[in-house]
Amino acid sequence: MTGPRPLRVLLADDHHLVRVGFRIILEVEEDIEVVGEAADGERAVGMAAALRPDVVLMDVEMPGMDGLEATRRITAAAGTAGADGSPSGPAVLILTTFDREDYLFTALQAGASGFLLKNGTPEELIHAVRIVARGDALLAPELTRKVIAAFARPGAAVTADPAAAGALDRLTPREYEVLVLMAGGATNAEIAQRLHLGETTVKTHVSRVLAKLGLRDRVQAVVYAYERGVVQPGAAAESAR
């Protein structure tokens, strides 16, 4: 009797030794398989389409097409989440550092599902791959605060999109509450506590929010909420407390 198929991972980094290191770390795990390696963004886009991995581990600074543009093309080709909130294509896990806020926000807008610090541990890498592969997002509270700060800066105006407003009208009052709390960086457990709900119920609400708004994951939900003016930076930071 065979078990579930392993998670398929594509590595995109222009440093060969980095890719070798990630492959060694990941393939020790029985539930993870590295299916390919790309040394630049263009190659990563092509391999993502051909190999259909569950996760693309993406460096940002690569020759030719960088990781941000590659992420945008991969997520655009994948489309939106399914009705159950599951991703329709590979999730992109960005290799990043805390001191590059410009990369952080651009990657969020491009559709990245999470961020992995380059100085992290092997255990953090494995955990991150599993998290984004199952359709969840990996956005630490520190990163959420940076997103909030970016929108709070002068000139960071939100957009008023009539079509987006129509999509918001499809949310129930409870789903709207969940969206606001997600935008504040709250976890499912924190949302459950705030709204006096079970975590399973919260997961259902999150999935419905993503499906109704045509979003891949909760990272995109954070960006969406700010860009559409659903929340203001100060209000969202308060809602997450």
Side-chain angles (χ1 to χ4, degrees):
M1 180 176 179
T2 60
R5 72 168 179 82
L7 301 176
R8 296 164 54 83
V9 179
L10 171 65
L11 306 177
D13 194 294
D14 60 330
H15 292 95
H16 178 70
L17 288 178
V18 172
R19 299 197 307 271
V20 170
F22 285 150
R23 177 183 285 273
I24 291 172
I25 291 169
L26 293 172
E27 290 199 327
V28 169
E29 305 299 311
E30 294 184 356
D31 63 330
I32 298 176
E33 174 188 8
V34 175
V35 296
E37 299 181 20
D40 58 69
E42 185 175 2
R43 180 90 171 134
V45 173
M47 294 183 74
L51 299 175
R52 301 181 63 83
D54 299 300
V55 177
V56 180
L57 189 59
M58 181 79 73
D59 190 20
V60 174
E61 296 181 342
M62 293 186 289
M65 184 189 298
D66 66 19
L68 299 176
E69 178 60 25
T71 296
R72 186 175 294 107
R73 296 192 186 192
I74 289 170
T75 58
T80 60
D84 61 351
S86 61
S88 60
V92 179
L93 185 59
I94 294 286
L95 293 168
T96 186
T97 58
F98 276 129
D99 59 350
R100 291 305 304 262
E101 294 179 35
D102 53 339
Y103 285 169
L104 166 65
F105 190 64
T106 303
L108 283 173
Q109 291 181 309
S113 294
F115 300 86
L116 183 69
L117 295 179
K118 286 189 174 182
N119 62 353
T121 66
E123 291 76 18
E124 289 170 339
L125 170 62
I126 294 165
H127 175 71
V129 167
R130 288 172 176 155
I131 286 288
V132 299
R134 70 183 186 217
D136 292 332
L138 193 71
L139 188 62
E142 293 85 354
L143 295 176
T144 302
R145 284 194 290 271
K146 286 181 180 288
V147 175
I148 292 171
F151 277 104
R153 290 174 188 146
V158 297
T159 58
D161 184 347
L168 286 170
D169 289 342
R170 294 197 291 271
L171 299 182
T172 67
R174 179 63 84 192
E175 290 164 355
Y176 193 90
E177 286 182 294
V178 169
L179 174 61
V180 170
L181 291 170
M182 278 197 290
T187 64
N188 284 352
E190 291 167 341
I191 295 173
Q193 183 178 25
R194 286 291 303 272
L195 300 181
H196 306 289
L197 300 171
E199 284 194 53
T200 300
T201 301
V202 171
K203 289 179 181 178
T204 299
H205 285 314
V206 170
S207 294
R208 288 174 178 169
V209 168
L210 298 180
K212 288 182 179 181
L213 298 182
L215 304 173
R216 282 179 54 83
D217 52 42
R218 65 194 301 137
V219 173
Q220 282 200 340
V222 172
V223 176
Y224 181 98
Y226 283 106
E227 288 186 331
R228 304 310 189 267
V230 173
V231 290
Q232 300 300 318
E238 183 66 28
S239 72
R241 294 175 184 170

